[in-house]
Amino acid sequence: MSAETTPPPLLDIEAATRLARALVSPIAEAETVPLAQASGRVAARRISAPRALPAADRSAMDGFALRAGDPGEGGTLPVAGTIAAGEPRRALSEGASLRIFTGALLPEGADAVVPLEDCIEEGGRLRLRHPAKAGDHVRRAGSEQPEGGTLLRSGARVRPQHVGLLAANGIGALAVVRRPRLGILSTGDELGRDGQGPEGVPDSNRPMLIALAEAAGAEVEDLGILPDDRDALVARLQALGGRHDLLVTSGAVSMGGRDHLRPALEAAGGTVESWRVALKPGKPVLFGRLGPTAVTALPGHPLAAFVTFHLFVAAQIAQMLRLPWTPLFTEPARSGFDGLRKPGRAEVVPVRMGHGQVQGVPILHRLGEGGSGSLYPLAEADGLALVPSHLDRIRTGDRLHWYRFACGRG
């Protein structure tokens, strides 16, 4: 497709997401990492329990191990010693008890543990406040985990609880899916200056997109800032040499006199699949390829770049990591704002939850004035709300769907 042709039809969000995901493939390569570095990674294969846990009967309490129903002499039992966790298994003499600590091996011959608070120990003898039953406060062998049970599914994201479980099984390393390799660059003659004067602004997109990509599980190469120059773009694209799974850019995608990315991508040997989405903010989003590398070019306006990363790039990273992808806007809510709007494009707005609920769902208040250039509203936002494309007005109380930020507002 040439940059000079008539603009293609607008893709709706669902179609654009399908296209974005179709341009990348699940990563087949795996690498082995130490368990301490595995949190957040994706398991490359299923891990089975090498043994049952606990491997032998153990005490579940601090107390006394004994034979349930053993009456003892005069209703008391002698305390024949102490067993701590980590000590070898001992045998319990008939008619006796052993002080035992949580996690210690249940002595041979014992079938119950009586907690300290249910015991009276006087003069080296033990009296029970209540009769003991066989099995009381004993962690039976295999009761917590069967041998061969699944500790971690293939394709699961490793969480801290998985790290603990694997460590409990003596597993110190595991195979994980290789991280997607992303290259991220910004375009614009105005970028890279101190932003104090009218002639330039700091580059906010690139550090933001790098942070978002790394949080999503990607390995990122910072490719810097390129000027609004077609030849410089062509040369830079050609020099990348296919070393990334996905190239993410911001700016130079639309139809302005300095929007050179589309023709530069084609001149570098790449292809453009589509470059317009029925979305506000975020209409100019390009999907294409450059050899083996998928290319997703996001708008230059920071809020639009933030929104379109969550919609499309995050979906691509999930696809490469073999993770399931759920559309963002699934939680129901009610609008706490109103206003007229031009139909035809879905609109994504930063929102904050208000006090109270309507029919069990939160009330959302819009933040900011709807421009695509400001990140300021995100500092107090709880998430992003989706206003459907067909609406010409949003009214207080209207049904909405939204995406709640995982960590809440900034």
Side-chain angles (χ1 to χ4, degrees), residues 183-208:
I184 294 181
L185 63 83
S186 294
T187 64
D189 290 338
E190 75 281 9
L191 300 179
R193 300 173 186 150
D194 60 13
Q196 299 302 308
E199 73 282 354
V201 294
D203 180 11
S204 60
N205 283 354
R206 190 165 42 91
M208 176 181 69

Side-chain angles (χ1 to χ4, degrees), residues 47-70:
I47 299 179
S48 302
R51 58 183 180 273
L53 287 181
D57 292 351
R58 293 181 180 272
S59 174
M61 300 284 288
D62 289 343
F64 294 87
L66 46 76
R67 293 178 180 85
D70 195 334

Side-chain angles (χ1 to χ4, degrees), residues 204-205 281 300-304 370-377:
S204 60
N205 283 354
H301 289 298
L303 180 59
S372 59
S374 176
L375 294 172
Y376 188 75

Side-chain angles (χ1 to χ4, degrees), residues 8 14 19 80 88 112 132-133 142 170 173 186 199 278 290 300 331 386 393:
E14 184 178 349
L19 174 58
K133 300 190 298 294
S186 294
E199 73 282 354
L290 180 61
E331 288 196 54
L386 179 70
R393 180 173 184 178

Side-chain angles (χ1 to χ4, degrees), residues 24 181-185 221 223 233 236-237 240 244-250 261 265 286 288 290 293-298 313 316 320:
V24 296
R181 299 186 183 108
L182 268 64
I184 294 181
L185 63 83
E221 181 182 4
L223 299 176
L233 272 172
R236 187 68 166 122
L237 293 173
L240 293 178
H244 305 105
D245 300 300
L246 174 63
L247 174 64
V248 179
T249 71
S250 63
L261 186 63
L265 178 60
L286 180 149
L290 180 61
T293 301
V295 179
T296 300
L298 307 180
V313 180
Q316 291 176 305
M320 289 186 280

Side-chain angles (χ1 to χ4, degrees), residues 30 53 55 97 125 131 308 358:
L53 287 181
S97 67
R125 297 192 68 85
T308 51
V358 174

